[in-house]
Amino acid sequence: MKKRIVAMAIVAAMVTGCASGTGADEVNEQSSAAVQSTEAVSEEAVEESTEEVTDGASDEASNEASEDASAEASKGASDGASVEASKDANKDAAASEASAVAAAKDEAAKEEAAKNEAAESAEKKEASASAGLEDGSYTTDLVTEKTYSPGYVKSISFTDDAIIIEGNFYRYDANWNPVEFGFNKYTFKTNASTKYLSSGGEQDSIQMSRDEFAPYLQSQLGGGLGLTIKLKGGYLESIDIIS
């Protein structure tokens, strides 16, 4: 802008000089002075322009640096928040997984307990049904035909987990009247708790092993001794030869 003003001033001066009849030397001197003034103004303008450009570039660089720093800080904060959120999510996921595993184990334990209970109940029912008798005490006599009492036995056999007696059992009611259960093949389930006994008179009962008791019971068949059994939980709690 300043250069333009100065140039206009020079032209005006030249025109004025010519119009007033000024000599060529004087005009030249005025032109030279104007040129020098123009050069000075130009240098000043260049310096000001350079300063403005420099200041503008400096401000721009400062703004960019500030923006970069803000962006970096924001990114760092965002990354930190993401890491914390990820850690929290992992903790929650681990807790949920542990809870699910514990619940699954608990459910499996309950199912296993229910299965065992059902199996035990079914086993007891099967044992009771095979005998055809409820829990309690029953009596028969080691004779092969019915005589003075309703009890008698036709055959006895042993298996790995049962004693099978073919005969008729009875027991007495509250008035000591015999209640018969009919002639049948009764299968009495045995287990590790079953007691094999021989009792008589004032002597204490003699407990035998299963291997000892089996042949002894067979030897007494037809001899007229009594035989008492006790059932508990569907199993043969005890079997006792009464003399």
PDB file of all heavy atoms in Angstrom, residues 158-194:
ATOM      1  N   PHE A 158     -29.618-119.338  48.949  1.00  0.00           N
ATOM      2  CA  PHE A 158     -28.853-118.106  49.135  1.00  0.00           C
ATOM      3  C   PHE A 158     -28.300-117.627  47.790  1.00  0.00           C
ATOM      4  O   PHE A 158     -27.820-118.431  46.988  1.00  0.00           O
ATOM      5  CB  PHE A 158     -27.690-118.332  50.098  1.00  0.00           C
ATOM      6  CG  PHE A 158     -28.091-118.427  51.542  1.00  0.00           C
ATOM      7  CD1 PHE A 158     -28.731-119.563  52.037  1.00  0.00           C
ATOM      8  CD2 PHE A 158     -27.816-117.391  52.420  1.00  0.00           C
ATOM      9  CE1 PHE A 158     -29.090-119.663  53.368  1.00  0.00           C
ATOM     10  CE2 PHE A 158     -28.171-117.475  53.755  1.00  0.00           C
ATOM     11  CZ  PHE A 158     -28.818-118.608  54.236  1.00  0.00           C
ATOM     12  N   THR A 159     -28.354-116.319  47.555  1.00  0.00           N
ATOM     13  CA  THR A 159     -27.673-115.700  46.413  1.00  0.00           C
ATOM     14  C   THR A 159     -26.649-114.708  46.981  1.00  0.00           C
ATOM     15  O   THR A 159     -26.490-114.585  48.190  1.00  0.00           O
ATOM     16  CB  THR A 159     -28.664-114.975  45.486  1.00  0.00           C
ATOM     17  OG1 THR A 159     -29.242-113.872  46.187  1.00  0.00           O
ATOM     18  CG2 THR A 159     -29.766-115.920  45.014  1.00  0.00           C
ATOM     19  N   ASP A 160     -25.981-114.005  46.095  1.00  0.00           N
ATOM     20  CA  ASP A 160     -24.952-113.065  46.559  1.00  0.00           C
ATOM     21  C   ASP A 160     -25.527-111.953  47.426  1.00  0.00           C
ATOM     22  O   ASP A 160     -24.850-111.450  48.330  1.00  0.00           O
ATOM     23  CB  ASP A 160     -24.225-112.440  45.358  1.00  0.00           C
ATOM     24  CG  ASP A 160     -23.366-113.452  44.622  1.00  0.00           C
ATOM     25  OD1 ASP A 160     -23.014-114.473  45.242  1.00  0.00           O
ATOM     26  OD2 ASP A 160     -23.061-113.212  43.438  1.00  0.00           O
ATOM     27  N   ASP A 161     -26.758-111.532  47.149  1.00  0.00           N
ATOM     28  CA  ASP A 161     -27.313-110.394  47.889  1.00  0.00           C
ATOM     29  C   ASP A 161     -28.726-110.652  48.408  1.00  0.00           C
ATOM     30  O   ASP A 161     -29.476-109.709  48.662  1.00  0.00           O
ATOM     31  CB  ASP A 161     -27.324-109.140  47.008  1.00  0.00           C
ATOM     32  CG  ASP A 161     -28.168-109.322  45.759  1.00  0.00           C
ATOM     33  OD1 ASP A 161     -28.615-110.458  45.489  1.00  0.00           O
ATOM     34  OD2 ASP A 161     -28.405-108.322  45.048  1.00  0.00           O
ATOM     35  N   ALA A 162     -29.098-111.919  48.575  1.00  0.00           N
ATOM     36  CA  ALA A 162     -30.453-112.202  49.050  1.00  0.00           C
ATOM     37  C   ALA A 162     -30.550-113.619  49.607  1.00  0.00           C
ATOM     38  O   ALA A 162     -29.697-114.477  49.343  1.00  0.00           O
ATOM     39  CB  ALA A 162     -31.460-112.015  47.913  1.00  0.00           C
ATOM     40  N   ILE A 163     -31.618-113.811  50.410  1.00  0.00           N
ATOM     41  CA  ILE A 163     -31.999-115.156  50.864  1.00  0.00           C
ATOM     42  C   ILE A 163     -33.424-115.393  50.373  1.00  0.00           C
ATOM     43  O   ILE A 163     -34.322-114.574  50.624  1.00  0.00           O
ATOM     44  CB  ILE A 163     -31.953-115.271  52.396  1.00  0.00           C
ATOM     45  CG1 ILE A 163     -30.545-115.018  52.901  1.00  0.00           C
ATOM     46  CG2 ILE A 163     -32.427-116.655  52.844  1.00  0.00           C
ATOM     47  CD1 ILE A 163     -30.438-114.996  54.424  1.00  0.00           C
ATOM     48  N   ILE A 164     -33.611-116.470  49.669  1.00  0.00           N
ATOM     49  CA  ILE A 164     -34.922-116.773  49.092  1.00  0.00           C
ATOM     50  C   ILE A 164     -35.548-117.922  49.888  1.00  0.00           C
ATOM     51  O   ILE A 164     -34.982-119.025  49.957  1.00  0.00           O
ATOM     52  CB  ILE A 164     -34.800-117.158  47.612  1.00  0.00           C
ATOM     53  CG1 ILE A 164     -34.119-116.019  46.832  1.00  0.00           C
ATOM     54  CG2 ILE A 164     -36.176-117.461  47.025  1.00  0.00           C
ATOM     55  CD1 ILE A 164     -33.737-116.390  45.419  1.00  0.00           C
ATOM     56  N   ILE A 165     -36.707-117.617  50.473  1.00  0.00           N
ATOM     57  CA  ILE A 165     -37.403-118.620  51.290  1.00  0.00           C
ATOM     58  C   ILE A 165     -38.791-118.853  50.705  1.00  0.00           C
ATOM     59  O   ILE A 165     -39.591-117.928  50.570  1.00  0.00           O
ATOM     60  CB  ILE A 165     -37.531-118.164  52.759  1.00  0.00           C
ATOM     61  CG1 ILE A 165     -36.128-117.959  53.361  1.00  0.00           C
ATOM     62  CG2 ILE A 165     -38.312-119.179  53.571  1.00  0.00           C
ATOM     63  CD1 ILE A 165     -36.145-117.413  54.778  1.00  0.00           C
ATOM     64  N   GLU A 166     -39.046-120.115  50.363  1.00  0.00           N
ATOM     65  CA  GLU A 166     -40.357-120.494  49.845  1.00  0.00           C
ATOM     66  C   GLU A 166     -41.173-121.100  50.996  1.00  0.00           C
ATOM     67  O   GLU A 166     -40.828-122.161  51.516  1.00  0.00           O
ATOM     68  CB  GLU A 166     -40.207-121.519  48.719  1.00  0.00           C
ATOM     69  CG  GLU A 166     -41.502-121.866  48.028  1.00  0.00           C
ATOM     70  CD  GLU A 166     -41.307-122.902  46.915  1.00  0.00           C
ATOM     71  OE1 GLU A 166     -40.243-123.557  46.893  1.00  0.00           O
ATOM     72  OE2 GLU A 166     -42.197-123.054  46.074  1.00  0.00           O
ATOM     73  N   GLY A 167     -42.210-120.363  51.410  1.00  0.00           N
ATOM     74  CA  GLY A 167     -42.994-120.839  52.550  1.00  0.00           C
ATOM     75  C   GLY A 167     -44.062-119.840  52.938  1.00  0.00           C
ATOM     76  O   GLY A 167     -44.452-118.970  52.146  1.00  0.00           O
ATOM     77  N   ASN A 168     -44.520-119.948  54.178  1.00  0.00           N
ATOM     78  CA  ASN A 168     -45.582-119.089  54.688  1.00  0.00           C
ATOM     79  C   ASN A 168     -45.109-118.424  55.982  1.00  0.00           C
ATOM     80  O   ASN A 168     -44.664-119.094  56.912  1.00  0.00           O
ATOM     81  CB  ASN A 168     -46.843-119.912  54.967  1.00  0.00           C
ATOM     82  CG  ASN A 168     -47.985-119.046  55.474  1.00  0.00           C
ATOM     83  OD1 ASN A 168     -48.107-117.890  55.126  1.00  0.00           O
ATOM     84  ND2 ASN A 168     -48.835-119.644  56.312  1.00  0.00           N
ATOM     85  N   PHE A 169     -45.210-117.078  56.016  1.00  0.00           N
ATOM     86  CA  PHE A 169     -44.825-116.320  57.206  1.00  0.00           C
ATOM     87  C   PHE A 169     -46.073-115.782  57.903  1.00  0.00           C
ATOM     88  O   PHE A 169     -47.117-115.568  57.283  1.00  0.00           O
ATOM     89  CB  PHE A 169     -43.902-115.145  56.824  1.00  0.00           C
ATOM     90  CG  PHE A 169     -42.483-115.560  56.559  1.00  0.00           C
ATOM     91  CD1 PHE A 169     -42.089-115.995  55.291  1.00  0.00           C
ATOM     92  CD2 PHE A 169     -41.533-115.515  57.570  1.00  0.00           C
ATOM     93  CE1 PHE A 169     -40.786-116.374  55.044  1.00  0.00           C
ATOM     94  CE2 PHE A 169     -40.224-115.901  57.329  1.00  0.00           C
ATOM     95  CZ  PHE A 169     -39.836-116.337  56.068  1.00  0.00           C
ATOM     96  N   TYR A 170     -45.926-115.522  59.186  1.00  0.00           N
ATOM     97  CA  TYR A 170     -47.020-114.937  59.963  1.00  0.00           C
ATOM     98  C   TYR A 170     -46.433-114.093  61.089  1.00  0.00           C
ATOM     99  O   TYR A 170     -45.237-114.147  61.381  1.00  0.00           O
ATOM    100  CB  TYR A 170     -47.912-116.048  60.545  1.00  0.00           C
ATOM    101  CG  TYR A 170     -47.226-116.902  61.571  1.00  0.00           C
ATOM    102  CD1 TYR A 170     -47.327-116.618  62.936  1.00  0.00           C
ATOM    103  CD2 TYR A 170     -46.469-118.020  61.189  1.00  0.00           C
ATOM    104  CE1 TYR A 170     -46.687-117.408  63.884  1.00  0.00           C
ATOM    105  CE2 TYR A 170     -45.834-118.804  62.129  1.00  0.00           C
ATOM    106  CZ  TYR A 170     -45.945-118.492  63.474  1.00  0.00           C
ATOM    107  OH  TYR A 170     -45.302-119.279  64.413  1.00  0.00           O
ATOM    108  N   ARG A 171     -47.308-113.341  61.732  1.00  0.00           N
ATOM    109  CA  ARG A 171     -46.940-112.627  62.959  1.00  0.00           C
ATOM    110  C   ARG A 171     -48.215-112.415  63.776  1.00  0.00           C
ATOM    111  O   ARG A 171     -49.336-112.540  63.251  1.00  0.00           O
ATOM    112  CB  ARG A 171     -46.248-111.303  62.666  1.00  0.00           C
ATOM    113  CG  ARG A 171     -47.053-110.245  61.943  1.00  0.00           C
ATOM    114  CD  ARG A 171     -46.194-109.010  61.704  1.00  0.00           C
ATOM    115  NE  ARG A 171     -46.857-108.006  60.884  1.00  0.00           N
ATOM    116  CZ  ARG A 171     -46.270-106.895  60.480  1.00  0.00           C
ATOM    117  NH1 ARG A 171     -44.998-106.677  60.792  1.00  0.00           N
ATOM    118  NH2 ARG A 171     -46.928-106.020  59.742  1.00  0.00           N
ATOM    119  N   TYR A 172     -48.060-112.050  65.027  1.00  0.00           N
ATOM    120  CA  TYR A 172     -49.210-111.917  65.916  1.00  0.00           C
ATOM    121  C   TYR A 172     -49.675-110.457  65.983  1.00  0.00           C
ATOM    122  O   TYR A 172     -48.857-109.526  65.970  1.00  0.00           O
ATOM    123  CB  TYR A 172     -48.866-112.424  67.320  1.00  0.00           C
ATOM    124  CG  TYR A 172     -48.574-113.899  67.361  1.00  0.00           C
ATOM    125  CD1 TYR A 172     -47.262-114.374  67.388  1.00  0.00           C
ATOM    126  CD2 TYR A 172     -49.620-114.821  67.391  1.00  0.00           C
ATOM    127  CE1 TYR A 172     -46.988-115.734  67.432  1.00  0.00           C
ATOM    128  CE2 TYR A 172     -49.351-116.190  67.448  1.00  0.00           C
ATOM    129  CZ  TYR A 172     -48.044-116.628  67.460  1.00  0.00           C
ATOM    130  OH  TYR A 172     -47.778-117.988  67.496  1.00  0.00           O
ATOM    131  N   ASP A 173     -50.980-110.310  66.094  1.00  0.00           N
ATOM    132  CA  ASP A 173     -51.526-108.964  66.265  1.00  0.00           C
ATOM    133  C   ASP A 173     -51.520-108.592  67.740  1.00  0.00           C
ATOM    134  O   ASP A 173     -50.934-109.307  68.570  1.00  0.00           O
ATOM    135  CB  ASP A 173     -52.931-108.864  65.653  1.00  0.00           C
ATOM    136  CG  ASP A 173     -53.929-109.809  66.324  1.00  0.00           C
ATOM    137  OD1 ASP A 173     -53.626-110.311  67.437  1.00  0.00           O
ATOM    138  OD2 ASP A 173     -55.009-110.042  65.737  1.00  0.00           O
ATOM    139  N   ALA A 174     -52.188-107.497  68.085  1.00  0.00           N
ATOM    140  CA  ALA A 174     -52.181-107.014  69.472  1.00  0.00           C
ATOM    141  C   ALA A 174     -52.840-108.004  70.420  1.00  0.00           C
ATOM    142  O   ALA A 174     -52.539-108.017  71.625  1.00  0.00           O
ATOM    143  CB  ALA A 174     -52.872-105.659  69.553  1.00  0.00           C
ATOM    144  N   ASN A 175     -53.723-108.850  69.905  1.00  0.00           N
ATOM    145  CA  ASN A 175     -54.413-109.845  70.739  1.00  0.00           C
ATOM    146  C   ASN A 175     -53.766-111.224  70.634  1.00  0.00           C
ATOM    147  O   ASN A 175     -54.364-112.228  71.041  1.00  0.00           O
ATOM    148  CB  ASN A 175     -55.892-109.929  70.345  1.00  0.00           C
ATOM    149  CG  ASN A 175     -56.630-108.618  70.595  1.00  0.00           C
ATOM    150  OD1 ASN A 175     -56.423-107.988  71.636  1.00  0.00           O
ATOM    151  ND2 ASN A 175     -57.469-108.226  69.646  1.00  0.00           N
ATOM    152  N   TRP A 176     -52.588-111.275  70.093  1.00  0.00           N
ATOM    153  CA  TRP A 176     -51.827-112.501  69.925  1.00  0.00           C
ATOM    154  C   TRP A 176     -52.535-113.514  69.022  1.00  0.00           C
ATOM    155  O   TRP A 176     -52.387-114.708  69.155  1.00  0.00           O
ATOM    156  CB  TRP A 176     -51.525-113.153  71.283  1.00  0.00           C
ATOM    157  CG  TRP A 176     -50.513-112.361  72.057  1.00  0.00           C
ATOM    158  CD1 TRP A 176     -50.741-111.451  73.033  1.00  0.00           C
ATOM    159  CD2 TRP A 176     -49.099-112.408  71.871  1.00  0.00           C
ATOM    160  NE1 TRP A 176     -49.565-110.912  73.489  1.00  0.00           N
ATOM    161  CE2 TRP A 176     -48.529-111.491  72.799  1.00  0.00           C
ATOM    162  CE3 TRP A 176     -48.242-113.147  71.043  1.00  0.00           C
ATOM    163  CZ2 TRP A 176     -47.156-111.285  72.896  1.00  0.00           C
ATOM    164  CZ3 TRP A 176     -46.877-112.939  71.159  1.00  0.00           C
ATOM    165  CH2 TRP A 176     -46.353-112.014  72.063  1.00  0.00           C
ATOM    166  N   ASN A 177     -53.213-112.981  68.067  1.00  0.00           N
ATOM    167  CA  ASN A 177     -53.793-113.841  67.033  1.00  0.00           C
ATOM    168  C   ASN A 177     -52.859-113.841  65.832  1.00  0.00           C
ATOM    169  O   ASN A 177     -52.381-112.778  65.402  1.00  0.00           O
ATOM    170  CB  ASN A 177     -55.172-113.338  66.609  1.00  0.00           C
ATOM    171  CG  ASN A 177     -56.177-113.403  67.740  1.00  0.00           C
ATOM    172  OD1 ASN A 177     -56.265-114.413  68.452  1.00  0.00           O
ATOM    173  ND2 ASN A 177     -56.961-112.332  67.913  1.00  0.00           N
ATOM    174  N   PRO A 178     -52.556-115.009  65.268  1.00  0.00           N
ATOM    175  CA  PRO A 178     -51.633-115.064  64.125  1.00  0.00           C
ATOM    176  C   PRO A 178     -52.235-114.446  62.861  1.00  0.00           C
ATOM    177  O   PRO A 178     -53.396-114.682  62.544  1.00  0.00           O
ATOM    178  CB  PRO A 178     -51.368-116.563  63.953  1.00  0.00           C
ATOM    179  CG  PRO A 178     -52.567-117.230  64.533  1.00  0.00           C
ATOM    180  CD  PRO A 178     -53.049-116.352  65.636  1.00  0.00           C
ATOM    181  N   VAL A 179     -51.448-113.662  62.182  1.00  0.00           N
ATOM    182  CA  VAL A 179     -51.855-113.065  60.899  1.00  0.00           C
ATOM    183  C   VAL A 179     -50.950-113.651  59.830  1.00  0.00           C
ATOM    184  O   VAL A 179     -49.736-113.421  59.818  1.00  0.00           O
ATOM    185  CB  VAL A 179     -51.725-111.524  60.933  1.00  0.00           C
ATOM    186  CG1 VAL A 179     -52.117-110.944  59.578  1.00  0.00           C
ATOM    187  CG2 VAL A 179     -52.592-110.942  62.040  1.00  0.00           C
ATOM    188  N   GLU A 180     -51.557-114.430  58.929  1.00  0.00           N
ATOM    189  CA  GLU A 180     -50.763-115.100  57.887  1.00  0.00           C
ATOM    190  C   GLU A 180     -50.566-114.192  56.672  1.00  0.00           C
ATOM    191  O   GLU A 180     -51.404-113.368  56.337  1.00  0.00           O
ATOM    192  CB  GLU A 180     -51.464-116.383  57.445  1.00  0.00           C
ATOM    193  CG  GLU A 180     -51.618-117.411  58.529  1.00  0.00           C
ATOM    194  CD  GLU A 180     -52.233-118.698  58.018  1.00  0.00           C
ATOM    195  OE1 GLU A 180     -51.810-119.165  56.917  1.00  0.00           O
ATOM    196  OE2 GLU A 180     -53.123-119.246  58.688  1.00  0.00           O
ATOM    197  N   PHE A 181     -49.439-114.398  55.993  1.00  0.00           N
ATOM    198  CA  PHE A 181     -49.140-113.636  54.781  1.00  0.00           C
ATOM    199  C   PHE A 181     -49.138-114.509  53.528  1.00  0.00           C
ATOM    200  O   PHE A 181     -48.826-114.031  52.439  1.00  0.00           O
ATOM    201  CB  PHE A 181     -47.801-112.912  54.957  1.00  0.00           C
ATOM    202  CG  PHE A 181     -47.854-111.834  56.009  1.00  0.00           C
ATOM    203  CD1 PHE A 181     -47.533-112.123  57.323  1.00  0.00           C
ATOM    204  CD2 PHE A 181     -48.282-110.557  55.694  1.00  0.00           C
ATOM    205  CE1 PHE A 181     -47.603-111.157  58.302  1.00  0.00           C
ATOM    206  CE2 PHE A 181     -48.350-109.578  56.680  1.00  0.00           C
ATOM    207  CZ  PHE A 181     -48.019-109.874  57.994  1.00  0.00           C
ATOM    208  N   GLY A 182     -49.478-115.756  53.718  1.00  0.00           N
ATOM    209  CA  GLY A 182     -49.671-116.625  52.571  1.00  0.00           C
ATOM    210  C   GLY A 182     -48.402-117.287  52.082  1.00  0.00           C
ATOM    211  O   GLY A 182     -47.276-116.788  52.263  1.00  0.00           O
ATOM    212  N   PHE A 183     -48.594-118.419  51.461  1.00  0.00           N
ATOM    213  CA  PHE A 183     -47.461-119.173  50.903  1.00  0.00           C
ATOM    214  C   PHE A 183     -46.938-118.437  49.669  1.00  0.00           C
ATOM    215  O   PHE A 183     -47.698-118.077  48.761  1.00  0.00           O
ATOM    216  CB  PHE A 183     -47.906-120.585  50.549  1.00  0.00           C
ATOM    217  CG  PHE A 183     -46.795-121.427  49.979  1.00  0.00           C
ATOM    218  CD1 PHE A 183     -45.918-122.085  50.819  1.00  0.00           C
ATOM    219  CD2 PHE A 183     -46.627-121.548  48.600  1.00  0.00           C
ATOM    220  CE1 PHE A 183     -44.900-122.865  50.300  1.00  0.00           C
ATOM    221  CE2 PHE A 183     -45.614-122.319  48.083  1.00  0.00           C
ATOM    222  CZ  PHE A 183     -44.746-122.984  48.930  1.00  0.00           C
ATOM    223  N   ASN A 184     -45.632-118.240  49.643  1.00  0.00           N
ATOM    224  CA  ASN A 184     -45.038-117.497  48.525  1.00  0.00           C
ATOM    225  C   ASN A 184     -43.529-117.756  48.502  1.00  0.00           C
ATOM    226  O   ASN A 184     -42.964-118.320  49.446  1.00  0.00           O
ATOM    227  CB  ASN A 184     -45.303-115.992  48.679  1.00  0.00           C
ATOM    228  CG  ASN A 184     -45.279-115.262  47.338  1.00  0.00           C
ATOM    229  OD1 ASN A 184     -44.738-115.763  46.364  1.00  0.00           O
ATOM    230  ND2 ASN A 184     -45.859-114.073  47.313  1.00  0.00           N
ATOM    231  N   LYS A 185     -42.898-117.315  47.443  1.00  0.00           N
ATOM    232  CA  LYS A 185     -41.434-117.348  47.375  1.00  0.00           C
ATOM    233  C   LYS A 185     -40.952-115.933  47.710  1.00  0.00           C
ATOM    234  O   LYS A 185     -41.042-115.029  46.879  1.00  0.00           O
ATOM    235  CB  LYS A 185     -40.963-117.792  45.998  1.00  0.00           C
ATOM    236  CG  LYS A 185     -39.445-117.889  45.895  1.00  0.00           C
ATOM    237  CD  LYS A 185     -39.013-118.368  44.508  1.00  0.00           C
ATOM    238  CE  LYS A 185     -39.265-119.852  44.339  1.00  0.00           C
ATOM    239  NZ  LYS A 185     -38.675-120.375  43.078  1.00  0.00           N
ATOM    240  N   TYR A 186     -40.449-115.766  48.901  1.00  0.00           N
ATOM    241  CA  TYR A 186     -40.035-114.459  49.398  1.00  0.00           C
ATOM    242  C   TYR A 186     -38.534-114.249  49.178  1.00  0.00           C
ATOM    243  O   TYR A 186     -37.720-115.082  49.587  1.00  0.00           O
ATOM    244  CB  TYR A 186     -40.352-114.323  50.880  1.00  0.00           C
ATOM    245  CG  TYR A 186     -41.834-114.411  51.198  1.00  0.00           C
ATOM    246  CD1 TYR A 186     -42.410-115.631  51.547  1.00  0.00           C
ATOM    247  CD2 TYR A 186     -42.647-113.287  51.156  1.00  0.00           C
ATOM    248  CE1 TYR A 186     -43.765-115.724  51.847  1.00  0.00           C
ATOM    249  CE2 TYR A 186     -44.009-113.367  51.459  1.00  0.00           C
ATOM    250  CZ  TYR A 186     -44.558-114.588  51.803  1.00  0.00           C
ATOM    251  OH  TYR A 186     -45.898-114.681  52.098  1.00  0.00           O
ATOM    252  N   THR A 187     -38.202-113.143  48.576  1.00  0.00           N
ATOM    253  CA  THR A 187     -36.792-112.796  48.360  1.00  0.00           C
ATOM    254  C   THR A 187     -36.432-111.667  49.313  1.00  0.00           C
ATOM    255  O   THR A 187     -36.931-110.546  49.189  1.00  0.00           O
ATOM    256  CB  THR A 187     -36.548-112.348  46.909  1.00  0.00           C
ATOM    257  OG1 THR A 187     -36.912-113.405  46.015  1.00  0.00           O
ATOM    258  CG2 THR A 187     -35.082-111.973  46.692  1.00  0.00           C
ATOM    259  N   PHE A 188     -35.568-111.974  50.260  1.00  0.00           N
ATOM    260  CA  PHE A 188     -35.148-110.992  51.255  1.00  0.00           C
ATOM    261  C   PHE A 188     -33.760-110.455  50.885  1.00  0.00           C
ATOM    262  O   PHE A 188     -32.776-111.213  50.894  1.00  0.00           O
ATOM    263  CB  PHE A 188     -35.113-111.624  52.652  1.00  0.00           C
ATOM    264  CG  PHE A 188     -36.444-112.164  53.096  1.00  0.00           C
ATOM    265  CD1 PHE A 188     -36.668-113.537  53.138  1.00  0.00           C
ATOM    266  CD2 PHE A 188     -37.467-111.311  53.473  1.00  0.00           C
ATOM    267  CE1 PHE A 188     -37.883-114.053  53.547  1.00  0.00           C
ATOM    268  CE2 PHE A 188     -38.702-111.822  53.890  1.00  0.00           C
ATOM    269  CZ  PHE A 188     -38.914-113.180  53.923  1.00  0.00           C
ATOM    270  N   LYS A 189     -33.701-109.163  50.573  1.00  0.00           N
ATOM    271  CA  LYS A 189     -32.432-108.539  50.209  1.00  0.00           C
ATOM    272  C   LYS A 189     -31.536-108.409  51.432  1.00  0.00           C
ATOM    273  O   LYS A 189     -31.982-108.022  52.512  1.00  0.00           O
ATOM    274  CB  LYS A 189     -32.672-107.141  49.621  1.00  0.00           C
ATOM    275  CG  LYS A 189     -33.367-107.142  48.273  1.00  0.00           C
ATOM    276  CD  LYS A 189     -32.411-107.594  47.182  1.00  0.00           C
ATOM    277  CE  LYS A 189     -33.051-107.455  45.811  1.00  0.00           C
ATOM    278  NZ  LYS A 189     -32.120-107.834  44.728  1.00  0.00           N
ATOM    279  N   THR A 190     -30.272-108.748  51.265  1.00  0.00           N
ATOM    280  CA  THR A 190     -29.298-108.633  52.355  1.00  0.00           C
ATOM    281  C   THR A 190     -28.244-107.590  52.005  1.00  0.00           C
ATOM    282  O   THR A 190     -28.060-107.233  50.839  1.00  0.00           O
ATOM    283  CB  THR A 190     -28.600-109.980  52.612  1.00  0.00           C
ATOM    284  OG1 THR A 190     -27.912-110.383  51.420  1.00  0.00           O
ATOM    285  CG2 THR A 190     -29.605-111.055  53.000  1.00  0.00           C
ATOM    286  N   ASN A 191     -27.561-107.101  53.041  1.00  0.00           N
ATOM    287  CA  ASN A 191     -26.442-106.179  52.830  1.00  0.00           C
ATOM    288  C   ASN A 191     -25.386-106.425  53.909  1.00  0.00           C
ATOM    289  O   ASN A 191     -25.474-107.393  54.672  1.00  0.00           O
ATOM    290  CB  ASN A 191     -26.923-104.717  52.828  1.00  0.00           C
ATOM    291  CG  ASN A 191     -27.693-104.349  54.083  1.00  0.00           C
ATOM    292  OD1 ASN A 191     -27.467-104.929  55.136  1.00  0.00           O
ATOM    293  ND2 ASN A 191     -28.604-103.383  53.971  1.00  0.00           N
ATOM    294  N   ALA A 192     -24.415-105.527  53.978  1.00  0.00           N
ATOM    295  CA  ALA A 192     -23.308-105.724  54.925  1.00  0.00           C
ATOM    296  C   ALA A 192     -23.765-105.646  56.377  1.00  0.00           C
ATOM    297  O   ALA A 192     -23.066-106.138  57.276  1.00  0.00           O
ATOM    298  CB  ALA A 192     -22.221-104.687  54.665  1.00  0.00           C
ATOM    299  N   SER A 193     -24.947-105.036  56.619  1.00  0.00           N
ATOM    300  CA  SER A 193     -25.435-104.887  57.995  1.00  0.00           C
ATOM    301  C   SER A 193     -26.298-106.051  58.465  1.00  0.00           C
ATOM    302  O   SER A 193     -26.673-106.101  59.645  1.00  0.00           O
ATOM    303  CB  SER A 193     -26.236-103.584  58.106  1.00  0.00           C
ATOM    304  OG  SER A 193     -25.425-102.462  57.804  1.00  0.00           O
ATOM    305  N   THR A 194     -26.639-106.964  57.589  1.00  0.00           N
ATOM    306  CA  THR A 194     -27.503-108.088  57.967  1.00  0.00           C
ATOM    307  C   THR A 194     -26.813-108.979  59.011  1.00  0.00           C
ATOM    308  O   THR A 194     -25.639-109.325  58.863  1.00  0.00           O
ATOM    309  CB  THR A 194     -27.865-108.935  56.729  1.00  0.00           C
ATOM    310  OG1 THR A 194     -28.531-108.092  55.776  1.00  0.00           O
ATOM    311  CG2 THR A 194     -28.777-110.094  57.111  1.00  0.00           C
TER     312      THR A 194
END
